[in-house]
Amino acid sequence: MASTKAGGTAKNLNTSNPKYLGVKLADGASARIGNVIVRQRGTKIEAGNNVKVGHDHTLFAMKDGTVRFRSMRKTAFTGAISRKKVVDVI
């Protein structure tokens, strides 16, 4: 005789925490030293002037200033030209 009623198996209960990726400081926002500007997977947005890249591709400010986004043309080793977004702190 069972002491408790038989229960079904539970699937799809192991969810990971959200990673909160994206742009943290918009264009024209003021940045202080060390402020995170963009959290990203891979370098979708590249680091420009006064911006450094963390080990997880996070972009952060190296100087106090104003955040500016711009685009630039980049040539790949195959000769293909693509547009990349770049963030600067001015």
Side-chain angles (χ1 to χ4, degrees), residues 46-90:
E46 293 193 0
N49 298 329
N50 302 320
V51 177
K52 291 281 188 173
V53 182
H55 67 90
D56 61 346
H57 305 286
T58 296
L59 303 180
F60 58 94
M62 292 301 292
K63 281 190 175 179
D64 293 343
T66 306
V67 177
R68 289 282 175 234
F69 285 89
R70 62 183 169 92
S71 61
M72 71 172 190
R73 287 191 302 243
K74 190 156 190 172
T75 306
F77 66 94
T78 59
I81 297 172
S82 62
R83 284 186 108 45
K84 290 285 280 190
K85 286 186 179 174
V86 181
V87 62
D88 301 313
V89 174
I90 301 169

Side-chain angles (χ1 to χ4, degrees), residues 27-42:
D27 190 39
S30 62
R32 309 233 5 218
I33 296 175
N35 276 15
V36 173
I37 301 169
V38 179
R39 284 209 181 268
Q40 59 186 351
R41 293 291 171 260

